[in-house]
Structure formats: structure tokens, C-alpha cells
Amino acid sequence: MPLDMIDNKILRLLQEDGRITVQALAEQVGLSHSPCLRRVRQLEESGVIRGYVAVVEQKQVGLPVSVFISIKLERQREEDLDRFAAAIAPWPEVLECYLMTGTRDYLLRAVCADLAAYERFLKEKLTRLDGIASIESSFALAQVKYTNVLPIR
């Protein structure tokens, strides 16, 4: 779907405040209510807007530990990559997973309550997957920046 300047402005504003009313959104982008709502619906239906969420502070819900996990598979055949991706998809601890270039095949970001919880995750889930050659874990000491707002111009 080609996006124009108004669509981009709608997206910027919704990323900053997903609870903004259609009326307030319309006023800020220079449209009346109905055309603005129509554009938002088109952005949703086309998949540009995937959904709306509350951004939750992980420390406040008892998940202060962020772990970045590098995975190297024994083989990089398509079926091996697909099997790994399917296996980790339902795990709630894994917030992000990327297929990578370079020396590692996957980079995961996981959260947990403490080191003991990460050890359980590692022993009970990750190390039980077939086809993993190596696992390297790096623990975040502090979060310097976090945003889910894309730099739409």
C-alpha cells in the first residue's frame, strides 16, 4: 500500500499514542473524522498497522532480566531453520527472534525473573532442541534506549 504524507503522520501519531481518539487524530492531520477513520481502517486492513498494545515495564511485572541469546545450528538447511523457528515461537520468554547473517544463525531476546529462571529456560527448553551446535548468552546490565516507534518521515 503506497503511503502518503497524511498516512505517515497518522502512523507517527498512533505510534506515540495508540489511545488517541479519531477526532483528535483527525484534527492533528488536517482531516475530518470520517476520512481519517477510513484511512486508519485502510492502514489496519492492509497490515501496515498490525495491532495496538500497552507497553509494559518489564521490571514492574517481575521480569527484570533481559538476555540476548546467540544460537548456532548444526546445519542451516531450510527445514532446520523452520524447525527451530517453529519450536521457539510459542515460548513466552522469547520476545524477539531474528535469523541472522554472520557466525550465528539466530539472535533471541528473552526475559526472565532471575538467573535461576533463565537456567530453567535454558535446561528445560532451549538445550532440548535438536540441531543446536552452540548457545551463547549475554545479560543486559542496563537498558540505555528502548522504543517501538519507527522513524517514519
Side-chain angles (χ1 to χ4, degrees):
M1 169 179 173
L3 303 177
D4 63 16
M5 287 177 29
I6 293 175
D7 293 325
N8 287 339
K9 192 166 187 179
I10 288 171
L11 292 171
R12 280 195 307 273
L13 291 166
L14 284 173
Q15 285 187 105
E16 292 169 8
D17 180 6
R19 297 180 68 174
I20 190 172
T21 66
V22 175
Q23 188 60 44
L25 184 61
E27 289 171 9
Q28 291 191 44
V29 300
L31 294 175
S32 61
H33 183 277
S34 294
C36 184
L37 181 57
R38 192 168 26 257
R39 281 179 179 255
V40 171
R41 295 276 193 269
Q42 287 173 340
L43 291 165
E44 292 168 347
E45 290 168 5
S46 68
V48 174
I49 295 175
R50 291 189 309 184
Y52 300 88
V53 299
V55 179
V56 177
E57 175 54 53
Q58 71 183 65
K59 290 178 184 176
Q60 296 293 325
V61 294
L63 298 167
V65 179
S66 289
V67 188
F68 293 87
I69 309 163
S70 296
I71 304 288
K72 181 163 182 57
L73 300 181
E74 292 171 351
R75 295 182 310 251
Q76 290 74 33
R77 294 185 312 198
E78 184 176 1
E79 58 266 19
D80 297 315
L81 298 171
D82 291 346
R83 184 173 40 255
F84 178 83
I88 63 98
W91 296 349
E93 300 90 347
V94 177
L95 300 184
E96 299 174 72
C97 177
Y98 300 93
L99 179 61
M100 304 294 290
T101 62
T103 59
R104 297 293 171 171
D105 297 310
Y106 286 97
L107 178 64
L108 286 64
R109 182 170 76 94
V111 296
C112 52
D114 52 32
L115 292 178
Y118 180 66
E119 182 181 8
R120 281 191 306 277
F121 169 76
L122 190 65
K123 288 180 177 178
E124 296 172 8
K125 292 183 177 179
L126 203 50
T127 59
R128 292 185 182 184
L129 293 180
D130 289 331
I132 294 181
S134 66
I135 301 169
E136 288 184 14
S137 304
S138 297
F139 292 86
L141 298 177
Q143 187 177 73
V144 177
K145 178 182 179 178
Y146 173 83
T147 185
N148 58 358
V149 177
L150 297 174
I152 299 170
R153 300 282 175 234

